[in-house]
Amino acid sequence: MRARRSITVVGCHAGGEIGNVIVGGVLPPTGLTVFEQMQTLRDGGDGLRRLLLREPRGSVACHVNLVVPSTRDDCDAGFIIMEPTEYPAMSGSNTICTVTVLLETGMVEMQEPETVVRLEAPGGVVEARATCREGRCESVEFTNVPCFVEHLDAQLEVEELGTLNVDVAYGGMWYAIADANALGFAIEPEEAFDLSLAGELIRAAAREQLTCVHPENPEIAGVSIVQIAAPWQGVGQVTRNAVVVAPGRLDRSATGTGLSARLAVLHARGLMNVGDSMTHASAIGSTFDGRIVEETRVGDRDAIVPAIRGSAWITGIWQVLVDPTDPYPEGYLLSDTWGVSGLDTQT
């Protein structure tokens, strides 16, 4: 066995969504903040993401997180999120995976019955409270970055689907939220392919027709993900939803940033208030719980601070190797498996 590169990865999933965590073999990128470090990775060739997410070492169903030292004194660590087509500012399932790996591998000391972990994400600081017992991280509740609405009931012309009304909200990523009933979906596993097709059409239309820019960081702009949401069932109840991740595949989890965006929309409509909670269920039945912690402002926008709770499970530890003669050192893509578009960049 020969290798010009060796990377240690802890496999993990939250609610079925894979969020692997790099714990060795990669030095921190340059940058004064984790957001700048993320930009360094993205703009410096994008090689690490391609290596770990493209075939033959990865797949479109994977995310990967790079743990880095925090650039802030008030955080335990930082992490950079790499997804199939982008480097998002925040991700709920990846946060839950990263906290679980940090605690269960001993990178951050576990305290029972609860460990508080503060992480510097590219989009800001998130505080996680992990319920711990007998060396196991049983669940993680994290307080997300502030979330807010950009558009309510915006008309969107979508190829093959016609005119839709969508909400656009920031939950750590920019979401276009469409009505599942209007599209004829019940959010069931057998609908996964059709949900993905519809979600990609909506995403492409929203990126072209609807403007959204974070008021405090103009680099975070443009709808990058779509939520197809079943009718809200009320405070304290379970509501089904499907999140379509570019380039066109279904998120297996209930999606923490998606739940945060939904909470922001429901708050803006006057349907949920501080202290209220709800649960999102994914197409495979996994759930995340969400609650509104407080109201706040982001620039000139009314916003909320949500808290999201879910659980993650470690699936293995392995060394990713690159042989010097391997003809695919950064992998490859084929459209039969790589989502709808067969691309690994946002378009």
Side-chain angles (χ1 to χ4, degrees), residues 155-235:
Q155 282 203 338
L156 188 66
E157 298 296 329
V158 183
E159 181 184 356
E160 299 181 30
L161 301 178
T163 303
L164 303 179
N165 288 333
V166 300
D167 302 322
V168 175
Y170 183 75
M173 303 171 70
W174 281 111
Y175 278 81
I177 304 175
D179 180 9
N181 274 5
L183 293 166
F185 290 117
I187 317 296
E188 298 292 343
E190 60 269 17
E191 297 174 327
F193 185 75
D194 290 334
L195 283 162
S196 298
L197 288 174
E200 267 299 276
L201 291 170
I202 293 168
R203 183 185 69 88
R207 286 180 69 82
E208 181 179 325
Q209 299 172 39
L210 300 175
T211 301
C212 50
V213 180
H214 196 288
E216 294 181 348
N217 187 341
E219 299 257 356
I220 304 174
V223 168
S224 64
I225 195 164
V226 170
Q227 181 178 154
I228 299 175
W232 184 57
Q233 298 300 300
V235 172

Side-chain angles (χ1 to χ4, degrees), residues 247-281:
R249 64 96 179 165
L250 206 60
D251 195 310
R252 275 60 174 153
S253 77
T255 317
T257 54
L259 178 49
S260 297
R262 189 82 181 274
L263 289 170
V265 167
L266 292 167
H267 178 267
R269 294 187 184 280
L271 297 173
M272 292 189 73
N273 300 304
V274 172
D276 288 345
S277 64
M278 65 172 288
T279 298
H280 256 176

Side-chain angles (χ1 to χ4, degrees), residues 67 77 97-109 117 119:
V67 174
C97 285
T98 299
V99 170
T100 299
V101 168
L102 287 173
L103 292 176
E104 292 196 10
T105 62
M107 294 179 71
V108 172
E109 183 179 1
V117 181
L119 294 178

Side-chain angles (χ1 to χ4, degrees), residues 30 39 59 70 76 105 133 145 169 171 179 182 213 218 244 251 260 279-280 282 286 311 338 340 344-345:
T30 58
Q39 290 176 307
S59 81
S70 175
D76 298 288
T105 62
R133 184 171 58 178
V145 297
D179 180 9
V213 180
V244 180
D251 195 310
S260 297
T279 298
H280 256 176
S282 72
S286 60
S311 298
W338 197 262
V340 173
D344 69 346
T345 55

Side-chain angles (χ1 to χ4, degrees), residues 4-229:
R4 73 181 190 195
R5 192 169 193 185
S6 175
I7 299 171
T8 305
V9 177
V10 178
C12 194
H13 79 87
E17 185 74 351
I18 298 169
N20 298 331
V21 181
I22 302 166
V23 296
V26 180
L27 293 175
T30 58
L32 298 179
T33 65
V34 168
F35 188 85
E36 289 185 3
Q37 292 177 344
M38 176 270 288
Q39 290 176 307
T40 298
L41 270 186
R42 182 193 65 197
D43 301 338
D46 196 27
L48 182 65
R49 185 181 67 89
R50 295 182 182 191
L51 169 67
L52 295 175
L53 294 187
R54 288 180 170 191
E55 297 178 64
R57 298 169 188 85
S59 81
V60 74
C62 294
H63 308 302
V64 66
N65 303 280
L66 174 62
V67 174
V68 296
S70 175
T71 66
R72 302 169 54 105
D73 293 336
D74 60 348
C75 290
D76 298 288
F79 73 118
I80 298 168
I81 310 149
M82 289 170 273
E83 297 200 348
T85 66
E86 65 177 322
Y87 292 76
M90 180 55 190
S91 167
S93 61
N94 283 294
T95 298
I96 294 167
C97 285
T98 299
V99 170
T100 299
V101 168
L102 287 173
L103 292 176
E104 292 196 10
T105 62
M107 294 179 71
V108 172
E109 183 179 1
M110 181 183 290
Q111 304 289 335
E112 299 185 9
E114 181 180 84
T115 309
V116 177
V117 181
R118 287 175 61 85
L119 294 178
E120 183 185 358
V125 174
V126 294
E127 182 174 282
R129 294 184 175 272
T131 299
C132 305
R133 184 171 58 178
E134 297 179 354
R136 158 88 176 117
C137 179
E138 293 185 330
S139 67
V140 174
E141 183 183 72
F142 67 90
T143 302
N144 201 0
V145 297
C147 302
F148 52 91
V149 171
E150 185 75 6
H151 302 287
L152 290 176
D153 291 322
Q155 282 203 338
L156 188 66
E157 298 296 329
V158 183
E159 181 184 356
E160 299 181 30
L161 301 178
T163 303
L164 303 179
N165 288 333
V166 300
D167 302 322
V168 175
Y170 183 75
M173 303 171 70
W174 281 111
Y175 278 81
I177 304 175
D179 180 9
N181 274 5
L183 293 166
F185 290 117
I187 317 296
E188 298 292 343
E190 60 269 17
E191 297 174 327
F193 185 75
D194 290 334
L195 283 162
S196 298
L197 288 174
E200 267 299 276
L201 291 170
I202 293 168
R203 183 185 69 88
R207 286 180 69 82
E208 181 179 325
Q209 299 172 39
L210 300 175
T211 301
C212 50
V213 180
H214 196 288
E216 294 181 348
N217 187 341
E219 299 257 356
I220 304 174
V223 168
S224 64
I225 195 164
V226 170
Q227 181 178 154
I228 299 175

